Amino acid sequence: MVRLVRRRPDGETVSLAPIIVAVVLVVLAALGTWGVVAVKSGRSSSSDRLVPPKNYASLPPMTFTLGGSNARMVDVRVLLEIDPTVDPKQASSFVPRIADQMADRMRQIDPEQLSGAEGAKLMKSALTAVVDHEARSMRVREVLLERMVVR
């Protein structure tokens, strides 16, 4: 058996094992850190090539009358994230149908329902449902609510 010890001038033996273990752990930590950095830098450049660029189509501003006793309106501006292979100008052909269906849905919504974050979620879910139904051939990835003003 090999013993890693050192003898002091006064005759006392000192074990070198804790020092060797500490050095080995520091070296392994340095190698692990270097490996993670190397993998992350290599992965980001290869993943950038795999992710297609985002393609957006902006719909014109739309105004809808809300339901309820007082005649209130909501102005909406919508941005569609569409498949990169689709021409953004193609979205303009769907605007009349989207606006018509949204007008029907907005007449069923009370103005108080559109307050706060829950109102934005309600508007986005209504827009998403209408766009998914009306613009199915355009392959919409995400419906983004750019602006919503209740007046």
Side-chain angles (χ1 to χ4, degrees):
M1 181 190 273
V2 176
R3 294 184 64 196
L4 302 171
V5 293
R6 180 175 173 255
R7 203 171 289 275
R8 289 187 179 170
D10 61 357
E12 186 181 349
T13 59
V14 178
S15 175
L16 297 176
I19 296 171
I20 293 172
V21 168
V23 168
V24 167
L25 288 175
V26 168
V27 169
L28 287 174
L31 286 173
T33 302
W34 175 79
V36 167
V37 169
V39 167
K40 280 190 176 182
S41 67
R43 187 183 308 158
S44 66
S45 64
S46 65
S47 67
D48 289 344
R49 286 179 264 154
L50 298 176
V51 177
K54 294 191 177 194
N55 191 12
Y56 295 102
S58 181
L59 298 183
M62 296 179 274
T63 301
F64 304 111
T65 303
L66 297 172
S69 60
N70 52 356
R72 297 197 55 192
M73 303 183 90
V74 63
D75 297 325
V76 178
R77 187 152 175 88
V78 179
L79 193 65
L80 303 176
E81 181 184 341
I82 56 178
D83 192 77
T85 60
V86 177
D87 182 22
K89 294 175 186 169
Q90 184 182 358
S92 62
S93 64
F94 295 102
V95 171
R97 295 190 330 215
I98 292 171
D100 186 47
Q101 290 297 317
M102 279 302 294
D104 290 344
R105 286 191 183 224
M106 290 296 107
R107 279 190 223 106
Q108 299 169 2
I109 294 178
D110 199 56
E112 286 77 33
Q113 290 179 291
L114 293 180
S115 63
E118 291 300 317
K121 285 181 185 178
L122 176 65
M123 178 63 78
K124 184 175 177 179
S125 68
L127 279 165
T128 301
V130 167
V131 168
D132 284 347
H133 184 264
E134 296 300 327
R136 189 171 305 166
S137 65
M138 198 167 57
R139 296 183 300 240
V140 176
R141 290 184 174 177
E142 185 72 35
V143 176
L144 305 168
L145 187 58
E146 192 173 11
R147 190 178 120 220
M148 179 178 88
V149 178
V150 179
R151 51 185 174 99

